[in-house]
Amino acid sequence: MQRPSWDSYFMEITTVVASRSTCLRRKVGAIIVRDNRILTTGYNGAPAGLRHCLEIGCLRESQGIPSGERHELCRGLHAEQNALIQAALHGISIAGGTFYVTHQPCVLCAKMIANAGIKTIVYQGDYPDKLALEMLAEAGVELKKMDFNG
């Protein structure tokens, strides 16, 4: 039996991480890997100590805000942001790492990822943010879109 690719293996784990999401709109998971070792994980949801949208409802949904717009009107952190924060909180260097994300990062996350020294992003689902793709390309971050079968 042939072993699955590392990308498929890590994307499968990323999907499991996404299942912890407390977002009512989209479950997103992220992991940061370097040298085939998982360094941190993150999923989208409210900051520690705050009530989650599962408990109080979605502010963006109640205001009819489309996906990809007005990020500041959300209680939650993005999965990528949580993975980056976990690295900082625990003093883990992620420079040169690969980000596995269930969905293409938004422009806010793209800027943080570029500044963190991430070299590659592997993702599956699309996200309506062309500027994020342009900025990542300009920063020299390699983007690899996987289909759902690996």
Side-chain angles (χ1 to χ4, degrees), residues 5 10 14 45 76 78 82 94 98 146 150:
S5 73
F10 288 126
T14 304
H78 291 185
N82 273 322
I94 57 173
T98 298
M146 289 183 65

Side-chain angles (χ1 to χ4, degrees), residues 9-10 24 38 46 61 70 76 86 94 110-112 135 143:
Y9 174 74
F10 288 126
L24 296 171
I38 298 172
E61 194 68 32
R70 305 290 315 267
Q86 287 302 307
I94 57 173
K111 292 185 279 188
M112 291 179 206
M135 291 185 85
L143 284 160

Side-chain angles (χ1 to χ4, degrees), residues 28-65:
V28 180
I31 66 172
I32 301 173
V33 174
R34 192 178 60 227
D35 300 326
N36 293 328
R37 298 196 190 295
I38 298 172
L39 302 176
T40 65
T41 66
Y43 54 89
N44 54 332
L50 297 182
R51 293 178 296 159
H52 291 276
C53 297
L54 287 173
E55 302 169 71
I56 63 169
C58 176
L59 177 63
R60 294 169 55 81
E61 194 68 32
S62 69
Q63 294 184 17
I65 299 168

Side-chain angles (χ1 to χ4, degrees), residues 68-99:
E69 297 179 16
R70 305 290 315 267
H71 293 121
E72 75 279 8
L73 296 177
C74 179
R75 294 181 63 81
L77 290 162
H78 291 185
E80 302 93 327
Q81 293 167 341
N82 273 322
L84 292 166
I85 290 166
Q86 287 302 307
L89 186 65
H90 297 289
I92 300 168
S93 174
I94 57 173
T98 298
F99 229 125

Side-chain angles (χ1 to χ4, degrees), residues 126-143:
D126 291 321
Y127 189 74
D129 198 329
K130 183 180 174 192
L131 181 58
L133 296 175
E134 292 169 2
M135 291 185 85
L136 288 166
E138 184 178 345
V141 178
E142 178 187 11
L143 284 160

